[in-house]
């Protein structure tokens, strides 16, 4: 099944919760885009979000525990599958922590997040990982770097 999520954590939590709860989907693999906060990742490269950090209230509203830094991990099963598939196909991927943001073009500056080893931003992974945890299901995000906030390349 292919499905569109809309944009942002609220939309992502609605569609993923309905897929998990009403349609008995076991796995969600989000395919999308992200923006780079540093020169470390270039436009066109593939990012796999192993852990999504967010300032969002969503996990607390679901009464689920996050890691100490308010982040949630992706599915280890799906991560292992993606790593194996990428290796077998010769496709380069970066498996990193990501910042799940409510505003892609925020003006807070990128240095704060880079210091936390968060080099890319996107807007849905945290919501999907939260609903996966809530429903005891699996989820992961794969994103293509579509913009670099430092070089302004898009």
């Amino acid at each position: 099944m292919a499905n569109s999520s809309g944009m942002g954590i609220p939309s992502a939590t609605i569609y993923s919760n309905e897929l998990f709860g009403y349609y008995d989907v076991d796995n969600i693999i989000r395919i999308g885009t992200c923006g780079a906060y540093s020169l470390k990742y270039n436009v066109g490269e593939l990012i796999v979000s192993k852990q999504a950090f967010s300032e969002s209230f969503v996990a607390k509203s679901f009464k689920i525990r996050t890691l100490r830094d308010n982040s949630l991990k992706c599915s280890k099963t799906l991560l292992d599958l993606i790593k194996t598939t990428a290796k077998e196909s010769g496709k380069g991927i970066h498996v990193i922590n990501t910042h799940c943001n409510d505003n892609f073009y925020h003006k807070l500056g990128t240095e704060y997040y880079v210091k936390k080893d968060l080099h890319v931003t996107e807007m849905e992974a945290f919501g999907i990982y939260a609903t996966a945890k809530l429903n005891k299901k699996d989820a992961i995000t794969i994103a293509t770097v579509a913009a670099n906030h430092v070089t302004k390349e898009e």
Side-chain angles (χ1 to χ4, degrees), residues 46 80-93 142:
L46 287 178
D80 290 344
L81 177 64
I82 288 169
K83 285 178 171 179
T84 300
T85 303
K87 185 176 181 180
E88 289 173 355
S89 68
K91 186 68 180 169
I93 60 171
I142 304 170

Side-chain angles (χ1 to χ4, degrees), residues 65-83:
R65 293 183 59 98
T66 63
L67 299 173
R68 197 171 60 159
D69 63 352
N70 201 38
S71 64
L72 293 167
K73 291 183 178 182
C74 72
S75 160
K76 182 176 179 345
T77 302
L78 294 177
L79 179 59
D80 290 344
L81 177 64
I82 288 169
K83 285 178 171 179

Side-chain angles (χ1 to χ4, degrees), residues 44-62:
E45 293 185 315
L46 287 178
I47 304 296
V48 178
S49 175
K50 70 177 177 182
Q51 193 168 305
F53 163 83
S54 183
E55 295 91 351
S56 172
F57 186 73
V58 123
K60 190 171 185 177
S61 71
F62 284 162

Side-chain angles (χ1 to χ4, degrees), residues 15-29 64 72-79 125-140:
Y15 96 82
S16 58
N17 201 48
E18 289 176 357
L19 286 173
F20 287 139
Y22 301 141
Y23 296 97
D24 201 29
V25 167
D26 291 320
N27 303 299
I28 291 178
I29 301 173
I64 60 173
L72 293 167
K73 291 183 178 182
C74 72
S75 160
K76 182 176 179 345
T77 302
L78 294 177
L79 179 59
F126 189 83
I128 295 167
Y129 295 178
T131 56
K133 187 171 183 175
L134 178 70
N135 288 282
K136 297 177 177 63
K137 304 282 183 142
D138 293 308
I140 197 162

Side-chain angles (χ1 to χ4, degrees), residues 34 87 151:
C34 62
K87 185 176 181 180
T151 66

